[in-house]
Amino acid sequence: MPQVVRPRIAVLHGTHPASPLPQRFRSLADREAVEVLHRAARVLVASLPVLTDRLVEALYEQEPGYRAAIESDRAEIWQEVHHSLRHNVGSLIQPREFREAAHRTSRRIGEIRAEQGVPLDAVLHAFRMGGAMVWQDLVDETARRDPDDVRLLVHVAADVWNFVDEHCGIVGDAYRQAERRLSWRRENQQRLMIAALLDGTARIADLCEAAAMLGLPEQGRYAVLAVASAPRGPQRPGPARPPLNLPDALPVAAPYGQSGPDLPDVRPDAAPYGRSGEGGPPHAAPYGQSGPDGLPHHRPGTAPPPPTALPGTAPLWHTGPDAEFAILRLTGDPGDPGELHAIAAALDAPTGTRAGIGSVVEGLAALGDARRLAETALRACPASGGTVLLDEHLPDALVVTSPALGSALADRVLGPLDRLDPSDRDVILETLTAWLDADGSAQRAGARLYCHRNTVLNRLRRFEQLTGRCLTRPRDAVEVSLALAARRLLAP
């Protein structure tokens, strides 16, 4: 006997308020069709355990998404299928009494399958398999009792399959809502775990779970990046992550001090390391030179290699009270500072953005220390913006970690200059800074200041006369250098 089945493949994304069966019959044939449907459905209700066995077996054989769940707990799946069939077949007989219960059952199934990670397509396929099996049993039972009545089922076929589509929509909506809740819960757990790691409050016993949750090795090498936006207006804004061109895959550098012509820059439009591209925001000064604020941003005498990207090392961000923090997983050779320089080169922040990169630490347990080092590097960053690597600015770090002592040192060493006219004082300080940045070369300092070397020497002698310091004495030179850093970094 041919199967009287009307295939339906559309997935509806919402519920339908219409009842699955019409309350007013359009014809006597419709009335007779409903009576035939009810008689066959009552027989199915009486044989639900057998129908449940068949459907569970069919799901195991035909739907891979359900196979693992059935193998894990076949009894639970059997009870779920039996419960769903009882309410859904009952809805064909008494729609008012069973409708809400059937909806609740379908919603619950969608939520449970989302929590178990069963694909939504597999869940919808299971519902359609159940609908097709119920429909075929209705046809078979009707043909067994009276083959002539099979033709009457055509009048209710659309209603039966609309009922199946309605529950597919209910299941799909419940599944997606549960997925959103689970996603929010996972993201919230990740945020809390990242915050605990950066605060240094994560328990040692939780580190293995944190590594699995965040996809990071427990004993890997890490550094932390701290970023703060430029203040706007009279009040300092709350923490806001500025737009940064930090690649999802962190750069890995060639051996420090070597260049790699076959290693592409992580930014296709990137300008040479430390310089601004056309129309782009300014970056740090060229490697080994000072920026406009006089702060040497990099180690002199070496050219950094261009970075290349390594997949699977996306930074993890966290919003702090005063800055944004990113956990950077490092994959280069231990002891190679070129990797941090390459990351600094990959940063493309707006003008005025301050960024600090702390020292390398070992293991997730040390991320609290890495965050504090990154905050120190951020405080050592000039107010005008830029990127500071802590390992390249340790004297500045000493000053900002003890601001009271730094201010006292600045007042003790540079205080006598405050009695001068401000313009005269600034000329002496600018000359002194240029001379120190030029490694004590009056010739290079003069070239940078566009003046003769003798002019530089005259200004330095005047500084010595006013302060009583001798710049050729190592102790005095160190104190002067730290005092200048304190004046620059701790100025209100």
Side-chain angles (χ1 to χ4, degrees):
M1 181 191 72
Q3 295 182 354
V4 185
V5 177
R6 177 174 179 167
R8 315 271 302 179
I9 60 174
V11 180
L12 303 183
H13 298 288
T15 60
H16 300 276
S19 177
L21 295 178
Q23 296 180 358
R24 293 181 178 273
F25 303 116
R26 294 182 298 273
S27 65
L28 180 60
D30 289 339
R31 186 188 300 271
E32 293 175 349
V34 171
E35 293 175 354
V36 169
L37 177 67
H38 286 180
R39 281 199 304 269
R42 291 188 186 97
V43 175
L44 263 63
V45 171
S47 61
L48 271 183
V50 176
L51 179 60
T52 302
D53 289 339
R54 291 167 48 212
L55 182 53
V56 171
E57 190 61 32
L59 288 174
Y60 183 80
E61 293 177 355
Q62 301 177 31
E63 180 46 66
Y66 266 76
R67 195 167 296 152
I70 294 174
E71 290 176 348
S72 174
D73 196 341
R74 191 181 189 94
E76 179 185 355
I77 300 297
W78 193 96
Q79 288 294 338
E80 177 186 288
V81 171
H82 183 270
H83 198 61
S84 178
L85 287 174
R86 180 163 61 86
H87 286 96
N88 290 336
V89 176
S91 296
L92 299 178
I93 305 171
Q94 297 175 299
R96 292 183 180 178
E97 289 78 359
F98 285 91
R99 178 183 177 84
E100 288 303 320
H103 285 184
R104 286 195 300 271
T105 300
S106 296
R107 281 194 291 268
R108 181 58 181 158
I109 291 174
E111 292 171 353
I112 292 175
R113 294 295 163 256
E115 292 173 358
Q116 293 177 341
V118 178
L120 178 57
D121 288 345
V123 181
L124 297 177
H125 183 215
F127 265 77
R128 293 197 189 92
M129 286 176 62
M133 186 172 290
V134 168
W135 174 250
Q136 189 61 51
D137 281 9
L138 292 173
V139 173
D140 292 345
E141 175 60 26
T142 301
R144 187 186 64 81
R145 290 178 60 91
D146 189 348
D148 292 339
D149 287 345
V150 172
R151 58 183 177 80
L152 293 174
L153 291 180
V154 174
H155 296 273
V156 294
D159 295 311
V160 172
W161 282 102
N162 283 339
F163 178 85
V164 174
D165 282 350
E166 177 186 6
H167 279 262
C168 283
I170 293 171
V171 169
D173 287 344
Y175 186 100
R176 282 183 282 270
Q177 290 173 7
E179 248 190 346
R180 285 193 291 269
R181 288 195 300 270
L182 291 171
S183 176
W184 177 87
R185 191 180 306 164
R186 284 192 297 267
E187 291 174 359
N188 193 48
Q189 289 175 342
Q190 287 182 350
R191 283 194 295 268
L192 293 176
M193 185 60 72
I194 292 173
L197 290 172
L198 290 175
D199 289 341
T201 57
R203 300 184 306 170
I204 298 298
D206 294 335
L207 293 180
C208 183
E209 178 185 355
M213 179 186 301
L214 303 177
L216 297 174
E218 184 177 348
Q219 300 301 328
R221 297 172 56 250
Y222 299 97
V224 171
L225 164 69
V227 183
S229 300
R232 295 180 181 178
Q235 296 182 347
R236 184 183 182 89
R241 186 179 307 168
L244 292 174
N245 191 4
L246 181 63
D248 286 340
L250 295 180
V252 178
Y256 187 66
Q258 300 179 15
S259 59
D262 56 335
L263 298 179
D265 198 328
V266 294
R267 293 181 287 115
D269 57 345
Y273 185 77
R275 296 176 173 84
S276 301
E278 291 187 11
H283 301 283
Y287 199 75
Q289 300 180 18
S290 297
D293 53 13
L295 182 67
H297 290 275
H298 303 289
R299 178 180 300 174
T302 55
T308 184
L310 182 69
T313 53
L316 298 176
W317 287 93
H318 174 71
T319 300
D322 299 312
E324 290 281 342
F325 298 95
I327 298 175
L328 310 176
R329 178 189 171 191
L330 306 178
T331 57
D333 295 332
D336 177 14
E339 188 171 11
L340 291 181
H341 286 286
I343 293 174
L347 288 175
D348 187 6
T351 304
T353 300
R354 298 160 51 240
I357 301 177
S359 303
V360 179
V361 299
E362 297 288 340
L364 293 177
L367 282 178
D369 295 333
R371 177 191 62 83
R372 288 185 283 273
L373 293 173
E375 287 180 323
T376 300
L378 185 63
R379 292 198 299 271
C381 189
S384 58
T387 301
V388 166
L389 296 175
L390 180 64
D391 291 344
E392 299 296 327
H393 296 85
L394 293 178
D396 293 345
L398 289 175
V399 170
V400 297
T401 53
S402 184
L405 292 178
S407 298
L409 179 63
D411 292 341
R412 178 184 178 88
V413 175
L414 304 178
L417 300 181
D418 293 334
R419 294 191 291 267
L420 300 176
D421 183 82
S423 59
D424 195 12
R425 177 199 62 200
D426 292 343
V427 167
I428 294 178
L429 291 177
E430 182 184 19
T431 302
L432 187 59
T433 300
W435 179 76
L436 289 172
D437 289 343
D439 295 331
S441 171
Q443 185 74 33
R444 292 201 301 272
R448 183 172 298 179
L449 297 173
Y450 301 102
C451 64
H452 195 273
R453 63 181 300 274
N454 290 340
T455 303
V456 173
L457 295 174
N458 289 334
R459 293 172 181 173
L460 295 179
R461 276 193 293 269
R462 189 182 180 196
F463 168 80
E464 292 178 328
Q465 293 169 357
L466 291 170
T467 62
R469 304 283 169 170
C470 178
L471 294 176
T472 58
R473 188 184 302 136
R475 180 186 181 92
D476 286 355
V478 170
E479 290 184 352
V480 169
S481 177
L482 290 176
L484 287 172
R487 180 66 64 93
R488 182 181 68 250
L489 297 173
L490 303 178

